[in-house]
Amino acid sequence: MISDVDLAIQWVMANCGDYGGDPNEVVLVGQSAGAHLGACALLRKINSELRENSSKSTNTSWKCHDIKGFVPVSGPYNLVAMQDHFHRRGLDRNIVSAIFSNRIEDYSPTHMLHELQKTFGRNAGKLFPPICVIHGDADKSVPHEGAIEFVSCLTDIGADTTMKLYKGWSHTDPILEAPMDGDQRLHIDIYNLVKLWTSGETTMPDFYSESVYCQRICPAFLIPLGRYCNPF
């Protein structure tokens, strides 16, 4: 799947212009598994650029500097720690290991960062686009401590990194419960980051949170009920 994301980024670079996009203004955003896969694709590309002819090189032509920013949301970044967490929640650690071909550290962004720093030091940091890690501090599916650790590793390697912790938000609040309740905090933050990292400061208007499409879409009492029933 990491290769699929790598190819998808390549496709966007090559084709977004046909749909009114600008290949010079691409920001990468992913939530949950998307945050993990986006981080892995970016880290593999950085490794490829630092270590030519590596067995871990990619087959696409986009470069790290082509990405103007990366926003990973609610992602699992330390898969070794997550393996034990999933085991405690009922998903056997051996199954998790098998999903990653029993090479879980090769697919763990935190461990990939450690390897990059061990080999290249802070020299690797110059290849990273700006990154803003977003996570809910009440996330029980993917505890936010892993995101804090990931941000620390990114900072240590010299990447331009910030973090936003959403108080009281679960794993799915950013994409389900909060928007359904009319809370567009995630969308506003992403919109403003895109403006900051691209030419949007001069071309994009302010986020219009009063739009009918940004209002609550169901009775308020259903939101806490949905949170209670949601297994994530």
Side-chain angles (χ1 to χ4, degrees):
M1 292 180 71
I2 299 171
S3 296
D4 291 339
V5 171
D6 185 41
L7 288 169
I9 295 172
Q10 180 69 45
W11 189 93
V12 169
M13 296 294 185
N15 296 279
C16 69
D18 296 337
Y19 300 89
D22 185 343
N24 298 311
E25 302 275 29
V26 174
V27 172
L28 186 63
V29 181
Q31 192 267 345
S32 192
H36 168 256
L37 291 167
C40 287
L42 186 61
L43 288 166
R44 281 193 177 184
K45 180 62 71 172
I46 289 170
N47 182 78
S48 177
E49 292 187 28
L50 288 169
R51 193 196 319 256
E52 294 183 7
N53 301 319
S54 165
S55 60
K56 296 183 179 179
S57 63
T58 66
N59 296 318
T60 51
S61 61
W62 65 273
K63 301 295 184 183
C64 296
H65 63 73
D66 294 329
I67 302 296
K68 298 306 179 187
F70 176 39
V71 188
V73 182
S74 307
Y77 308 110
N78 186 335
L79 294 190
V80 175
M82 287 302 303
Q83 189 176 19
D84 292 333
H85 176 73
F86 287 142
H87 185 83
R88 290 191 295 270
R89 292 175 67 86
L91 181 59
D92 189 271
R93 60 171 54 87
N94 292 319
I95 295 177
V96 176
S97 181
I99 290 172
F100 296 100
S101 305
N102 297 313
R103 295 185 292 112
I104 197 166
E105 290 189 5
D106 290 348
Y107 299 92
S108 175
T110 297
H111 291 80
M112 295 167 76
L113 274 170
H114 285 316
E115 286 300 312
L116 276 177
Q117 186 171 27
K118 186 188 303 182
T119 306
F120 302 103
R122 291 178 65 87
N123 188 52
K126 64 184 181 183
L127 292 181
F128 285 80
I131 298 172
C132 181
V133 178
I134 297 177
H135 217 100
D137 70 358
D139 190 335
K140 295 181 180 178
S141 297
V142 182
H144 71 281
E145 287 82 4
I148 293 173
E149 179 190 22
F150 185 54
V151 169
S152 177
C153 291
L154 286 166
T155 302
D156 287 346
I157 207 170
D160 178 7
T161 311
T162 56
M163 184 176 192
K164 292 180 180 289
L165 271 180
Y166 293 169
K167 186 173 178 58
W169 280 26
S170 70
H171 190 65
T172 56
D173 265 303
I175 59 169
L176 286 178
E177 293 90 346
M180 290 178 71
D181 200 25
D183 187 340
Q184 304 298 333
R185 196 178 323 170
L186 175 69
H187 300 116
I188 292 171
D189 281 342
I190 292 175
Y191 187 87
N192 288 335
L193 286 167
V194 171
K195 286 184 67 174
L196 175 66
W197 292 335
T198 68
S199 61
E201 288 284 3
T202 57
T203 61
M204 294 168 61
D206 291 339
F207 189 96
Y208 183 48
S209 58
E210 300 304 313
S211 167
V212 64
Y213 302 108
C214 294
Q215 308 310 306
R216 182 186 297 126
I217 63 173
C218 65
F221 76 90
L222 290 177
I223 305 300
L225 180 62
R227 286 193 180 99
Y228 178 79
C229 296
N230 191 335
F232 298 102

